[in-house]
Amino acid sequence: MRAVVQRVTEARVTVKGDVIGQIGPGLMILVCAMQGDGEPEADRLAERIAKLRIFKDEAGKMNLSLRDTQGSVLVVSQFTLAADLRGNRPGFSYAAPPAEGRRLYEHFAARMRAEGFATETGEFGADMAVNLVNDGPVTIWLDTATL
């Protein structure tokens, strides 16, 4: 699985003008299931993100995890993270098929909840508008193929 993790002061996702997920300080996570991914990859990704020390401590150093700060999570499906850019028009054949992608997306979000985080989500497959205030900015790219 692939993810782009952004430290935020706030984030929200809307579908057709309605806010369907919203958080204050925490992490906005764009996530994509790749061909061949399963629950072990989703679990490993969630565990890794939960432990990332990317929040500032009292000395201003990135030394605290989401758990330390008691932040929230907004998880948004993002199949374009699987883009194949061999040409000028991206292809997405590396992404998991939609039904499997949805299942793993929902599993990942449930896993973040199981880690103890207040977790909001977008809507899988929907045309979403995502708004966020990136804190830092801090943006981390993760791929379970390299974790």
Side-chain angles (χ1 to χ4, degrees):
M1 289 186 79
R2 289 183 178 166
V4 172
V5 177
Q6 295 178 294
R7 188 178 77 188
V8 300
T9 56
E10 61 183 66
R12 73 177 179 278
V13 61
T14 60
V15 174
K16 297 179 182 173
D18 295 324
V19 175
I20 63 167
Q22 183 170 313
I23 64 167
L27 297 176
M28 207 280 295
I29 305 169
L30 302 172
V31 67
C32 176
M34 306 294 287
Q35 287 280 344
D37 283 343
E39 291 176 3
E41 287 78 16
D43 293 344
R44 191 164 71 240
L45 186 62
E47 290 168 12
R48 180 68 181 204
I49 290 170
K51 295 177 185 176
L52 281 177
R53 296 184 332 176
I54 60 173
F55 292 89
K56 294 178 184 176
D57 64 13
E58 61 281 345
K61 303 286 186 192
M62 286 198 303
N63 203 28
L64 301 175
S65 69
L66 185 64
R67 184 166 285 115
D68 297 326
T69 64
Q70 299 179 346
S72 301
V73 176
L74 176 59
V75 180
V76 177
S77 62
Q78 184 75 44
F79 79 94
T80 59
L81 292 176
D84 171 4
L85 297 172
R86 284 181 260 197
N88 292 325
R89 182 175 180 211
F92 302 103
S93 61
Y94 296 140
E100 185 66 0
R102 177 188 301 269
R103 187 182 74 76
L104 290 172
Y105 164 72
E106 291 171 355
H107 179 84
F108 175 80
R111 186 69 166 90
M112 293 305 292
R113 287 183 189 99
E115 288 282 340
F117 304 117
T119 302
E120 297 280 322
T121 62
E123 182 180 327
F124 186 91
D127 187 8
M128 296 175 276
V130 179
N131 297 303
L132 64 112
V133 177
N134 194 320
D135 181 22
V138 174
T139 301
I140 308 289
W141 183 82
L142 298 133
D143 190 326
T144 55
T146 60
L147 292 180

